[in-house]
Amino acid sequence: MAGTGESRAAFLLPKDRVNDLIDLLWARGFRVVGPVVRNGAVVIDEVRAVQDLPVGRRDDQEAGVYRLQEAGGDLLFGVVNGPGSLKGIFYLPREPLIEMRRERGGFAVREVAEETQPVAALGVRPCDLAALEIQDRVFIGGRFRDTHYERRRQGLLSIVVNCTRAAPTCFCSSMGTGPAAPAGCDLALTELDGRLLVDVGSAAGEELVGTLALEVAPPADVAAARSEVDACATSMARAVDRSDLPGLLFDEVESPQWDDVARRCLSCGNCTMVCPTCFCHAVVEVPALDNASSQRVRQWDSCFSYEFAHIAGKNFRPRIRDRYRQWLTHKLASWIDQFGTSGCVGCGRCISWCPVGIDLTAEVAAIRARRGGTPS
């Protein structure tokens, strides 16, 4: 069964009862987040009612292109994705870590620990849940655990939407992260006409289905949902050949393709900001005007910025070719050595939100075509 990894009955949630699910989650103390429209794009933010979802919208995406369109109808999850992902919910763009205050005879330091609320992620995509699992390895998967991330991450309830339409920039199928929800999510939804097919993936999900008293889905609906997800997988126009990826990128450290892409790349960092797995950050000291206290603040940074590699008076990645090579090689190759998985989930955001339309899948293919210095 899609999204659950085991055979369980599927259920039907009529679209006019989605508010019942949202209300139930808030009543149980969850902060419900999901896709919402902000400033002409879809981001992940609070959902109080079904009207907060991008109802009747769909997205047009291509390399360097993102537009929301009014599609009409009752589609709740017609938009594949936008620049926002779960990254910004659990790993905040900017947050104070500790506060320091001068006191008589010295100073005091305390950790800034904000109150957190369990999150119910409604309508996130399978690739975004895969990205969150990668971020878990970065922040809480090792010996040293990030307590700020961990507090927000605890108690997550995941209600994933299987993809029945791929944006032209999507390539999750080749990365093994979609378009069907992974095992381990609590509920997996597949949108059908007037209703949502609900697959149960956990005891918590099963309990929600029981509370809502959902009816068992007829076999025809189950088959229709599976067929649409399968069709989505085969419709993806982009792909990454992962057969020898780490070796290819490590071998081609001097590929002329790095110079080629550097002539187009603006080094703006958009790709890293929208990437659901990128985690580069800076830690800065912010003194208060009272001259008696300060905060240590973590804020998102990008390996594409010139200053990011400036250490002890020397910059070890001064050229754009150096920074693009670092980003791509880390994400698709050395990330595997560090965390046991690729750092790319194939969401395609880096392609859509690149202002000059650089396409990660095309760059990998070009490096492969020029392997050993052979011109493409």
Side-chain angles (χ1 to χ4, degrees), residues 1-13 157-160 162 181-190 196-212 214-217 222 226:
M1 180 172 289
T4 65
E6 59 184 274
S7 180
R8 300 191 191 193
F11 300 85
L12 286 182
L13 174 63
L157 185 85
S158 56
I159 304 176
V160 178
N162 291 318
C185 66
D186 294 295
L187 292 176
L189 311 178
T190 307
L196 296 160
L197 186 87
V198 182
D199 285 322
V200 175
S202 72
E206 189 169 17
E207 194 278 333
L208 281 174
V209 166
T211 302
L212 292 168
L214 301 184
E215 295 183 359
V216 174
V222 175
R226 306 293 183 262

Side-chain angles (χ1 to χ4, degrees), residues 274-318:
V274 299
C275 174
T277 67
C278 278
F279 61 91
C280 285
H281 56 264
V283 176
V284 298
E285 305 295 338
V286 183
L289 294 177
D290 63 3
N291 202 30
S293 62
S294 68
Q295 285 188 332
R296 180 164 295 170
V297 174
R298 175 170 63 191
Q299 57 192 27
W300 289 4
D301 203 342
S302 171
C303 58
F304 274 90
S305 72
Y306 178 83
E307 294 79 9
F308 191 78
H310 194 87
I311 296 176
K314 183 69 176 178
N315 196 306
F316 54 90
R317 287 196 288 268

Side-chain angles (χ1 to χ4, degrees), residues 27-111:
R28 293 191 171 180
F30 287 101
R31 177 191 177 209
V32 183
V33 302
V36 300
V37 177
R38 295 278 187 274
N39 301 317
V42 161
V43 299
I44 303 298
D45 205 343
E46 285 189 1
V47 174
R48 292 281 179 176
V50 71
Q51 293 81 4
D52 293 332
L53 298 171
V55 182
R57 307 281 187 94
R58 61 171 287 162
D59 48 339
D60 290 338
Q61 299 195 48
E62 250 306 341
V65 174
Y66 183 93
R67 294 286 185 276
L68 287 186
Q69 305 286 352
E70 292 286 350
D74 65 348
L75 275 178
L76 303 181
F77 303 105
V79 177
V80 175
N81 62 26
S85 66
L86 287 175
K87 179 171 81 170
I89 299 296
F90 300 107
Y91 164 45
L92 301 186
R94 193 174 193 277
E95 67 174 323
L97 302 177
I98 59 174
E99 288 181 346
M100 294 154 281
R101 175 166 291 279
R102 190 170 58 185
E103 296 182 343
R104 180 181 293 275
F107 62 92
V109 179
R110 74 171 185 88
E111 181 182 14

Side-chain angles (χ1 to χ4, degrees), residues 4 27 80 82 114 116 119 129 147 169 185 206 227 254 262 276 313 342 376:
T4 65
V80 175
E114 64 173 18
T116 59
V119 169
L129 193 62
T147 55
T169 46
C185 66
E206 189 169 17
S227 176
E254 297 300 337
S342 168
S376 58

